[in-house]
Each structure stands twice: as C-alpha cells, then as structure tokens.
Amino acid sequence: MTRPETQQSVRLTIDGAPVEVRPGATLLEACRQMGTEVPTLCYLETLTPVNVCRICVVEVERNRTLVPACSRIAEEGMVVKTDSDRVRHSRKMILEFLGSSVDLSAAEDEVGEWMRQYEAEPDRYGPQSEPSAAGERDRRHPGHHGEVNGRTAEGVHQPTKVDNTLYVRDYSRCILCYKCVEACGIDAQGTYAIAVAGRGFDARISTEMDLPLGDGACVFCGNCIGVCPTGALMFRSEWELRRAEMWNPDAQSVTRTVCSYCGVGCNLELHTQDNRIVKVTSPQDHDVTNGHLCIKGRFGYDYVQNLGDVDRSSIDEVLAKARRPSPE
Amino acid sequence: MDLRFTDAQPTAAEREAVESVLGPAGVESHQRVRTASNLRIFATGMQSVADRRHLLLPALETVQSEIGWVSEGALMHICRELSVPPAEAWGVATFYSLISVDPSPPVVVHVCDDIVCRRAGALELMEGLEANGRIPNTRWLPSPCLGQCDRAPAAYVQRAGEEDHVLVSIDPQARPMEPDGSIVSTNGQPESLAVPQAGEPHLRLLRRVGTVDPGSLDSYLEAGGYRALEEAVEMGPAAVVAEVKASGLRGRGGAAFPAWIKWEAVANSPDAVRYLICNADESEPGTFKDRVLMEDDPFSVIEAMTISGYAVGARQGYLYIRGEYPLATRRLRSAIHQARRAGLLGESMRNGVSFDIDLRRGQGAYICGEETALMNSIEGLRGEPRNKPPFPTVSGLFGKPTVINNVETLCNVLDIVSDGGSNFASLGTPQSTGPKLFCLSGSVRRPGTYEVEFGATLGDLIALAGGLPEGRRLRAVLLGGAAGSFVLPDLLEMPLTFEAASEAGVSLGSGVIMAFDQHTDFGDILARIAAFFRDETCGQCVPCRVGTVRVEEALARIRRDPQPGDLELIEEIDLAMRDASICGLGHTAAIALRSALELGLME
Ligand SMILES: Cc1cc2nc3c(=O)[nH]c(=O)nc-3n(C[C@H](O)[C@H](O)[C@H](O)COP(=O)(O)O)c2cc1C
Ligand code: SF4
Ligand code: SF4
Ligand code: SF4
Ligand code: FES
Ligand code: FES
C-alpha cells in the first residue's frame, strides 16, 4: 500500500531491518541508505534508469518475479530481501551471461569482485566463439541467425572500431547498458548520435547506417566515454597506450582544475602519466557538469602537450599514433 | 535538439511514398490538407511536430512496401520530416524483420519453417527453392509462424509497389514457375477459408464467420451488427463496465487477466485523455484465432472496439495488427472506412459518441505483442517492453491511461452487452466464463479454429478436430503455444479452463492445441522453439538476451550427445530468466523446452 503523497517518509523492511526513506525513493536508494550493497551496471545517478542489466534485482514479498532495485519505487510495508538464494542465483547467472559473451577485462573493478562474490563461472558455457569480422554484426538482420552447434559460447567479439583520433569503440566489451545512449541523448548531451540498433543478441550500439563517428551527428563531447562501465568506449590515447602495453594507472596522477575555454566553469580531471595528459574526465558529483564536458574541455588539451618544454620520450611516440586518423 | 542529417536524398518514388503517410514535405503540419489517403494521420488528433514521432513506423512500413527496402535517402527524408534523430530511426528500422535496410529484390517470400509448417513439408519446400538456385528478382527467407498453421505450409509474400499476400497449403514439391519467379505455386486454396464449424447454431464468437460478407457493412447490419453499440449507448458507459465485471470475462491474449479490473481503472481515471488498444499482433506460434475473426467478421472487431472505447472513455483507439496478416488488414481498413462513412466511427458519430480507430501494422516482431512493447512500437520507438509498474492503466500509450485487450477478448463484449454479463457468466465455469476459441493444428484431421464453451476437455477438442489421422497415435500436445508447455495424453480428460490448467501447472496461453504423433522428432521441434525465442527476444535485458542463446546452445549439445549437467544448466538458466527478465518473453522462453525434457519426449 502506498500512503498519500503528503506522507513524509515510507517505511519498509530490508533484510529484516526497518528503514525509512523519502517518498519516491527507489529500493536502491533505500538499500544504500542502510549501507546494504547492491551491484549495479546500467544505473547511474545522473541518468534515467533503463533497468536492463538486471544485476540489481532483489526479492520483494508478494512479487512473482524479482524486481530491479534501481528503478522500483519503495512502497510502505514492502518486505525486501537482497541476498536470498533467488537473488544470488539471478545475479550469478547474469554475471556468467555477460562474462561468457563480452570481454570484461577492462570493466570497472567491482565487476571482478562480484564475479567472485557470486561464484560466477562464465567458462562453463564452453570456449568463446570466433570473433566476427569487422562490421558483420552491424549488418545482421533481425529474426535470423546462423547455425548453432553448442560447441562454443557465442559472444559479441569483433574488431575495435577506430575511425577518429579522439576515441575508439570496442564493442567486444559492450554489455549494452544503454548508458552511452542516454548520455549522448536525452540525459546530457542532446545530440542523439548513437542508439541501440538491431534486435536480440544482435542488438548493438550504432550510429545511423553504422557510419564512422565523424560522418554522423557526433560532436565528440566524450560524455559517452565518461559513463561507459566496461571500457568499450575508450580514449584513443588510452587505447594506443594499452596496445603498446604502456598504460599504467598506478603511475598516473589526477589533477583537478577548471576548464579554461569558456565561462561555464566545468571541472576537469587531468589524468597524467609521465607528465603527459592521457585522458580528461569530469567529476560526476560536480553540479555544473555531472561528469559531462564538451569537446574542448575533453579533448582540447593538445596545446598543453605541445609546449615543448619537456623532453620527448617513448610515450610521445604512442600518443602521436593517437593523432592519426586510422590505426597502424 | 539540433539534429544532423546526412546529405542523402530520397528518390521521387521514395518521396511520394513518404508523402502518402506524412503529407506534403516541408509543410507545417497544421496546414496539411486532409485527404482520403492521409486520413489516418489526422484521425489521431495529434499534429504538432513533436507529436509526429508516432508516424515513424507507418512511414518506414510504407517505404518498405512501396519500394521494397528503406534506403539511406528515404530514411533521412523521414527523419527530416519528423525531426527524428537518424541514429534512433536506424535503431527502429533495424528492429523489425519485415523492414530491410539493404537493397532488396522486389519480391521477398517469407517461408514459414516453424513447428507446424516444418512438419508439413516446409523444409522440403525450402530445399527445393535453394536447389533451384537464384530466382531473378526474388529472395526467400525462413520465417517464424505466420498464423496459418491450419493451412500449413504457408508463406508471406512482400512485393514492392504491389499488395502483399499470403500463400497457404503450399505443395512442398512446388517450385517457382513464373518467369519473374514471383509466385510459388500452391494447390489453389483461397487465402481465407471459413472455419470448420461455420454455420453451426450454437456459435457465438464465430457465428457470423462464413455467413456474412466480410466486405460489406450492410451484410453485417443485416446479421444484427451494431445493435450492441446502440444498446451500449442506451445503457451508458458505467453500465457497460458493470456488465463486463458481471461477465467475469478474462483476457484471451495469454495472461487471463480479468478485463473489468483494467476497464474500471481507466474508466475512473482523472485523466481525460485515454486510449483503447486492440492487440491483434497474434504472433504466438500456433495461434490463428484472431485472424479468423478479423478476416471473416471484421466489423465485429470494429464494433467491439467502439463499445469498449466508449465504456472506458477513450476517444481514440488503436488496432495493432501483425504485418503478416495482409488480408485481415485490408478487410479491417475497409471496415473502418465504411463505418466512418456510415457515422458509426469518427469524431461525431450518429449516436453522439466520439471514437475513432487508427490501424497500425507491425513489421515482424513477436515481442510487439507484449502490451508495453506494442505501445512503444506505436510511439515510434523500438519495440522494447517497459518495466512495470507503472501499468498501462496508469501510464500506457503516450503516457496516458490505456486499456489494451486481445481481439477475442474484445469481441466477447458484443454478447456481454446484448445478453447481459450474468448470461455470459453462466457459460463455462465460475472462473472461466463464456466461449473460448482454440487453435487446433498439427496431427489432427481437421485443423482449424474451434469454439467451445469453457469446460470442454482437451480430448473433446481433439475429437472436434476429427482426431488423429489414420495410423497416428497421440504422443504429446503443445498447449498454449511456444510460450506454453507440452503435455502427455494422460491430460486428455483435463477441462480446458484457466483453473484446471493452473492446477496442472500448465497454461492455456493463447488457445493453442498442437498435436504431435508417434513419428515426431521432438529434438527438431525443440530446436525450432529455442531458435524462435533467440530470434524474437528484443535483446534489452541480459537474462533473456543471452539466456535464450545459452539455452539454444545447451539444447544443441543435448541433441548431439547429452552431457551430464546440460539439463541442469537449462534449469538454471530458466530460473534466472523467469526471475530477472523484464517481460513475459523471458519469463516463458524455456518453459516448453523444460516440459518436453522433463516428460522425456526427446528419448
Ligand atoms: C512476448 C509476448 C507476446 C505477446 N503477444 C500477444 C499477442 O500477439 N496478442 C495478444 O493479444 N497478447 C499478447 N501478449 C499479451 C499482452 O501482453 C497482453 O497481456 C494482452 O494484450 C492483454 O489482453 P487480454 O487481457 O485481452 O488478453 C503477449 C505477451 C508477451 C509477453
Ligand atoms: S562523443 Fe558525445 S556526441 Fe559523440 S557519441 Fe559520445 S556522447 Fe554522443
Ligand atoms: S558502449 Fe559502454 S556505455 Fe555504451 S552500452 Fe556498451 S557498455 Fe554501455
Ligand atoms: S525479457 Fe526478453 S523480450 Fe522481454 S524485455 Fe527482456 S530481452 Fe526483451
Ligand atoms: S542496475 Fe538495475 S537493472 Fe541495471
Ligand atoms: S504458419 Fe507455419 S507454423 Fe504456424
């Protein structure tokens, strides 16, 4: 039962303990308020919940199925379990489904921790299927698929899309969390350069007609990179450094500063390695940007690198590659 | 929103096709002229640019049917006209299997290779087509169930610039004969056949089928049509809802939800704008009952929608019909047109009621039968189901309170109004009231749509359909469709009621009764079912997007050489899909498979 809106708070029970939350709060909010961990992948405070990854499911009494904590609104008297057998089973299977079909090696650290916590064994579905050829997944027609023999576990592996100097799209790592679509469209950028295309297992993030980014509507604000939880969207600089096995987060420092291009006052986080800027992010908790920037703040740092007051070193060679339109 | 389009331009023919739906290019919508061909745009009453997104699918569909595929130029033209971001329009176009974004030959034949058709020679037919090599100007593709299982094998033919049509009861030996390769010869059955019970006096839902002229309003009026609407208007909306409540009518689309609960919620909504949707997507493999009603008694569907819309206070109704039902579409369109002209539909009808119907064609997506996916599809979004709550009665089509019901559910409203809810409730059992249509197919002598009162047993229905052919023994029945489950002959005595089914742990689903005899290769059937769900999942949520693939792989292993653990793996996947998926597709995707494995049908 929901109480009238004038009510100051909603009371419910989570894992046996009572909790009081503001009206309209989600179960996730309620859990966090109590310090109860709930894994999330497609949820971000600054984006409209799409509730598609389902990793956040919890058990609510008198509900036939589990419910997504990230978007289900807390109701008076709800009895919620966040760690029941059913919850653990679904989370484990979701992690296995993702781990057996997507390259999670560059995903946020929590993902690996959850894999251990829920005892996920992605390998039990068999060896990975062969990666598909460049562009092949983008041409698949809905409602049809090839022969299935069960010897391998089909995945989304494919060559990285490198079509500009600013960032790359490695959809082998894409879990289809829709975050980039939301950040590009309705929730932040308003550009709508990318959307989900295709259907079913062949669904993918795509520009119109699978055009290279520069030929479509993309304005290279990099906001999609900022929200991607798996490293599918990656700064070209980071991607080149990783390829050269020179990417070293431990040796990086982060400097917070204010963008010098215009008067809005966006906060920037300059990630530097060997005194070179290797990527630029923006703090998600900053109320001007909510983690979002424009092309200038995000990518317009080359003039700093070109001051010539530092000796050229091997990192410069790699970063120079990132300035060439196509990969070598 | 500052949209960016590519420079690609439409051809003259593409421009014309788009114009036929959206009106003249570049004209502000309020200045557009109302013509017969674009009537349905204006019928919706939403004319601002931002509100025109819902025309995206009709525009894509029209280009597809006129030109045969949707080129970049056509897509960009539609995007410019509707102010839709190209990436989003691409996402919508690539969601539907009947829309091609690659150059296509003018004739595309979708040959059904689903459960019934493959047992009726569809595979042989396709091998023949393959062996004949490339046919000029023609492409054939395998298709999921086309809703013609009583006349298997079947094919749906798209022809650029011409009317699409369906081929039924195809001779599996048939080869493309015509010089243009366009027609696969058939044994000459007409597209629509009356139902086996046609003309029998006890029929309610099917009483006009085969007896009225589906193309003539006069014929419908002569058969007593539109009297129910008159009575409804005399009673007033609240009384109609009360009768529906008294009738105990439950949904016939699969979920068996009491109709009155939804109706009352919307009728009492504080929001003045409400919608009524008739779900005619009928894509559950083995289901073809709604098609019979729509093809052979289209006015009853229109009248039933009008009464329902009136009762819940909706001024606008949508009829969403699957794209593979061209004959039903033509007949319904004609019925809508005739009803409008006769003042029985439209802004101010002769009885003072205001209600209009917009017909929308699906474009090849089973998931668009799920109610919230259907709403997204109408709105011009990808057909992805929404998370519930909120339920459609609170926030449905365009965010407004919406009643959505199946075709058969709505058609029952005619008798409920005419005879009274309590009379309706006296038919069947207390929990399953009224008449029910069942779709008999597979190994029976006379496949078809049969009407019985709730309470008839599974055995009764198989007997109605003439029993099994000579020398065939019943091995199993698929009850409820691909989303249902297999049962053994020991359930022949089970009454087909919601309560008896639920007690037996099965579901009547959409009324599918598919019979299999001792010669059935169940491994092949199960593989087709697994492939179906893998093809038809929208792909939005992880458990279903990947789970359906993993189920298909596990089944392939079981068929080849069963390993310990594969059965358990399917159970584990099923559990997660049931618990964590967003919608009914994921919840039911592995049920039939599991039931067959547990019943030992593969052995
Ligand atoms: C995957 C899926 C497909 C569905 N397809 C249909 C359909 O084709 N026709 C239909 O009436 N209901 C279909 N439904 C059920 C609808 O979601 C909804 O319950 C129904 O339209 C409600 O009408 P009713 O109460 O009159 O049955 C489908 C549900 C799911 C989950
Ligand atoms: S860089 Fe910005 S505009 Fe380009 S796709 Fe990402 S979010 Fe959209
Ligand atoms: S690219 Fe990244 S942000 Fe976008 S859907 Fe894939 S995983 Fe999510
Ligand atoms: S359960 Fe399947 S069909 Fe339903 S929303 Fe999830 S992916 Fe789509
Ligand atoms: S985080 Fe809730 S569904 Fe993804
Ligand atoms: S029409 Fe082919 S299986 Fe239904």
Side-chain angles (χ1 to χ4, degrees), chain B residues 198-217:
Chain B
E200 287 180 23
H202 69 278
L203 297 177
R204 293 168 162 267
L205 288 162
L206 298 180
R207 69 169 166 261
R208 279 179 295 261
V209 169
T211 65
V212 293
D213 174 359
S216 156
L217 176 59

Side-chain angles (χ1 to χ4, degrees), chain B residues 241-508:
Chain B
V241 176
E243 290 302 324
V244 169
K245 186 169 181 178
S247 75
L249 175 66
R250 289 166 72 175
R252 309 298 201 230
F257 192 77
W260 70 269
I261 298 183
K262 301 198 253 188
W263 284 40
E264 209 169 72
V266 172
N268 295 335
S269 159
D271 204 323
V273 181
R274 307 162 195 171
Y275 295 104
L276 173 96
I277 301 177
C278 174
N279 189 341
D281 196 51
E282 191 160 75
S283 305
E284 182 65 46
T287 316
F288 43 84
K289 62 186 178 73
D290 297 340
R291 173 178 55 78
V292 168
L293 292 171
M294 294 188 289
E295 283 182 352
D296 295 325
D297 195 11
F299 287 98
S300 74
V301 180
I302 303 305
E303 184 187 357
M305 282 184 71
T306 311
I307 295 175
S308 311
Y310 168 72
V312 303
R315 295 164 66 96
Q316 181 64 48
Y318 285 84
L319 199 164
Y320 189 97
I321 182 169
R322 71 179 298 192
E324 299 88 338
Y325 277 177
L327 182 64
T329 302
R330 284 196 278 277
R331 290 192 174 160
L332 286 164
R333 279 204 171 131
S334 156
I336 291 171
H337 187 64
Q338 292 180 52
R340 273 199 200 123
R341 274 207 321 210
L344 291 165
L345 204 59
E347 260 163 47
S348 46
M349 285 154 51
R350 61 187 190 203
N351 45 25
V353 178
S354 179
F355 183 76
D356 211 339
I357 297 176
D358 198 352
L359 182 147
R360 295 300 174 98
R361 293 186 82 180
Q363 284 298 289
Y366 166 65
I367 190 55
C368 287
E370 195 282 338
E371 53 191 19
T372 56
L374 187 153
M375 292 170 195
N376 278 347
S377 178
I378 292 179
E379 290 182 24
L381 308 170
R382 289 163 56 78
E384 293 170 352
R386 304 173 183 169
N387 212 51
K388 292 185 266 192
F391 290 94
T393 48
V394 176
S395 175
L397 187 64
F398 304 112
K400 296 296 178 186
T402 303
V403 165
I404 177 164
N405 277 122
N406 170 261
V407 175
E408 182 190 346
T409 313
L410 291 176
C411 283
N412 277 309
V413 171
L414 297 175
D415 274 9
I416 291 173
V417 167
S418 299
D419 302 350
S422 54
N423 271 328
F424 186 91
S426 69
L427 298 174
T429 67
Q431 290 187 57
S432 306
T433 56
K436 177 76 193 100
L437 300 181
F438 286 99
C439 313
L440 274 288
S441 66
S443 221
V444 288
R445 281 207 182 87
R446 275 196 318 273
T449 301
Y450 289 86
E451 177 181 326
V452 292
E453 227 177 90
F454 267 114
T457 64
L458 180 54
D460 292 341
L461 273 142
I462 292 180
L464 259 184
L468 273 72
E470 201 55 44
R472 305 284 171 131
R473 268 181 298 108
L474 187 66
R475 176 78 176 94
V477 172
L478 179 56
L479 202 60
S485 43
F486 286 93
V487 300
L488 297 182
D490 61 359
L491 282 189
L492 280 178
E493 295 303 308
M494 180 181 76
L496 295 173
T497 59
F498 298 127
E499 59 276 16
S502 123
E503 200 169 300
V506 297
S507 151
L508 301 184

Side-chain angles (χ1 to χ4, degrees), chain B residues 112 114-117 145-149 154 286:
Chain B
C112 177
D114 217 324
I115 313 176
V116 178
C117 288
C145 177
L146 291 168
Q148 310 281 353
C149 329

